[in-house]
Amino acid sequence: MIVQELNALQQRCGFLPDEELRALSRRIDVPLHRLHEVASFFPHYRLKKGPEVEVRVCRDVSCHLRGAEQLRDGVKALANEIDPTGKVVEVEGVSCLGQCDHAPAVTVNDRVDHGLSEQDLRSRVHEAVSREPPRHRRADRGPLGWKIDPYDGNPRDEAVRKLVETRDPRTGSLSGGIDDLLEQLKISTLRGMGGARFPTHLKWAAVRAQASDVKYVVCNGDESEPGTFKDRELLRRAPHLLVEGMVLAGLTGGATKGYIYIRHEYHEEIEAVEDAIREATARGACGTDILGSGLSFPVEVFVSPGGYICGEESALLEAMEDRRAEPRNKPPFPTVAGLFNKPTIINNVETLMWTPSIYLKGGEWYRDQGINACKGLWFCSISGDVRAPGVYEVPFGVTVRDLIYRRAGGMSRGQRLRAVAPSGPSGGLFPPLIRRDLLPEAFAKAHLPDAGAFFDLLDLPLDPDIVRGMGGMLGAAFVAVGEHADLVGLALNLSEFFRNESCGKCVPCRVGSQKLVEMIRALRAGQFDREHLELARSLGNTMILTSICGLGQVAPNPLLTLAKYFPEEIEALLDRRGGPPAREFSMFETIV
Ligand code: SF4
């Protein structure tokens, strides 16, 4: 309730005025300190009145590669020309807006725009200062012929119908249908597409097995990893599949309510999903008495107050429960004690959206579409230095070569491939050729001839298990980096993202992520020596071992992979002569 109230207040006033917070505290009978506890955590909320025009320029990887910093500096100069006090126009950086295929992305007074030249953005700023109505480019909602959508954009609720028609008229039980649905999900090998890769059928069955009068299904649509924007397209182009997948999950788990948690910057996607819920309810496929079965499962949208950490499932639950989005210690897992301490199925958007077609067409249909001995299909967001960045529905096992050079049209501006980030900032950077001795032995044996000295990354089949076997991670954010990129600068950018988004709950991540940024800055400034490099490795390993959640555990990857796979980049800076003396890194500086 607090989050929704603060969202509404912020929308009405543009910030959270103190007197309004006090009035809200009285009206909803919640202590003022609780409102501040929430309001001070999330980046969406503003506690002070801002300038007339707020410009935010994305500072993360894909926009960084497409000149976001120059764009930001150019518009900052304009803001200064308009009013040097900064009261009229304020220009700042912002974390990934999920528009990486149209980088650089910006917001002007919270309205997301993308792919603008500096001249375009200057015009937008002048229009906003003159209070002209903002221009709005609506994104296409049409279907793209994806295999995930058995209805090609015309929802028919066949999967929900198939399930409720298995209802035993005598007992009212759906057991037979649910057993079949779970079996098809098992055969399909569908796993969580948000990164955790937990088998979907096991998660749903675990909640089904819990004895509780109240259970939930939560869809994690808080897509915020830089370079990831596939859920954005799925939410907007096929929201009916998400609603149907939610209902299948709800009926399977015996859940009483479903929430679709979507990042607040996805205005059009929120609208599309709300429309889909309304339409499904009108058709009788969601809400009360689903298709005349007497079974009910209402679904609603929960708009996120922002922050990358909300993509971590337990942090997301904390936000939904009106607390600071700090990850919980596990166990217990959400299947046992999730939202409001009740058994909860939490799945990513794409995971839920695959379930209707798998149930209708059978688990083998999905499983057998993988290639190169891999199983299933997935959606990949590719961005960076490629000609056709975008979202592609591809088989697991598609090679890096196929993804970059066929689907995404090859490298932009005739560049050669210099590096790949197969999981956005989280997985770090990999070179096009990897020396055999840098590969795990089992991977080298399986993928290289006996005399092979290098593994050609273009031959890598993209499958989470194979990429993990290589020593990497595969997410939905695939970023290709061209030869003109400054890789140390890129590692700094990736590390800054984690520093900016650390929730601060645990010391290794809160302090360590800041120290990593300082170290890479010192490296670039020629203030780094070999001992510091060892210290950086040691700090990284400590963070991996001791951070509470995935953010702190992956935060060292940009620097560690740079040091491992691109040692020449670091050596060139270590060997710099004539710079200032090497500096010391004190953990104490940051703590105080
Ligand atoms: S690892 Fe980082 S993001 Fe995760 S709980 Fe600790 S401080 Fe928060």
Side-chain angles (χ1 to χ4, degrees), residues 222-446:
D222 195 57
E223 170 175 78
S224 303
E225 176 94 23
T228 313
F229 44 94
K230 50 112 181 165
D231 288 347
R232 184 199 72 202
E233 291 297 294
L234 287 164
L235 287 167
R236 206 181 61 253
R237 293 183 185 277
H240 53 282
L241 289 184
L242 178 56
V243 178
E244 191 166 22
M246 291 284 291
V247 174
L248 291 179
L251 296 180
T252 299
T256 38
K257 178 134 197 195
Y259 293 96
I260 301 175
Y261 187 105
I262 308 180
R263 59 179 303 180
H264 67 88
E265 297 93 340
Y266 280 6
H267 301 284
E268 289 186 57
E269 290 71 25
I270 290 168
E271 197 182 300
V273 173
E274 286 178 337
D275 287 349
I277 293 171
R278 235 185 333 270
E279 287 161 15
T281 306
R283 293 193 304 273
C286 174
T288 52
D289 190 22
I290 292 173
L291 300 176
S293 65
L295 299 164
S296 296
F297 185 70
V299 176
E300 68 178 67
V301 169
F302 187 101
V303 178
S304 170
Y308 170 70
I309 194 58
C310 292
E312 199 281 339
E313 61 181 15
S314 65
L316 179 152
L317 295 176
E318 290 289 296
M320 291 185 72
E321 293 183 21
D322 290 331
R323 287 194 288 269
R324 297 164 79 82
E326 293 174 350
R328 299 173 181 173
N329 290 325
K330 297 179 200 168
F333 291 95
T335 47
V336 175
L339 185 62
F340 302 115
N341 218 22
K342 299 294 181 188
T344 303
I345 293 172
I346 305 185
N347 276 135
N348 161 266
V349 170
E350 184 185 344
T351 315
L352 286 160
M353 287 177 71
W354 277 114
T355 60
S357 48
I358 289 172
Y359 185 41
L360 287 172
K361 298 181 180 181
E364 291 94 345
W365 166 82
Y366 175 82
R367 184 195 63 197
D368 294 347
Q369 299 201 57
I371 58 173
N372 292 323
C374 304
K375 298 184 176 96
L377 295 164
W378 61 300
F379 282 80
C380 179
S381 329
I382 177 166
S383 62
D385 293 322
V386 289
R387 287 204 186 102
V391 174
Y392 296 92
E393 184 185 50
V394 290
F396 277 117
V398 65
T399 61
V400 172
R401 176 179 286 103
D402 187 325
L403 189 62
I404 294 180
Y405 290 97
R406 192 162 80 80
R407 320 256 174 177
M411 299 297 291
S412 58
R413 295 180 288 150
Q415 293 187 79
R416 280 177 302 178
L417 181 68
R418 178 76 177 104
V420 157
S423 188
S426 297
L429 298 164
F430 291 82
L433 290 175
I434 304 180
R435 272 192 358 238
R436 184 182 195 112
D437 61 302
L438 296 179
L439 293 166
E441 205 179 316
F443 182 91
K445 246 185 172 164

Side-chain angles (χ1 to χ4, degrees), residues 41 308-309 312 325-329 498 501-511 513 543 546-553 555:
F41 183 86
Y308 170 70
I309 194 58
E312 199 281 339
E326 293 174 350
R328 299 173 181 173
N329 290 325
F498 292 119
E501 295 296 330
S502 167
C503 81
K505 179 175 179 176
C506 62
V507 174
C509 170
R510 185 178 70 236
V511 178
S513 59
M543 290 171 69
T546 58
S547 294
I548 288 179
C549 83
L551 189 153
Q553 292 158 12

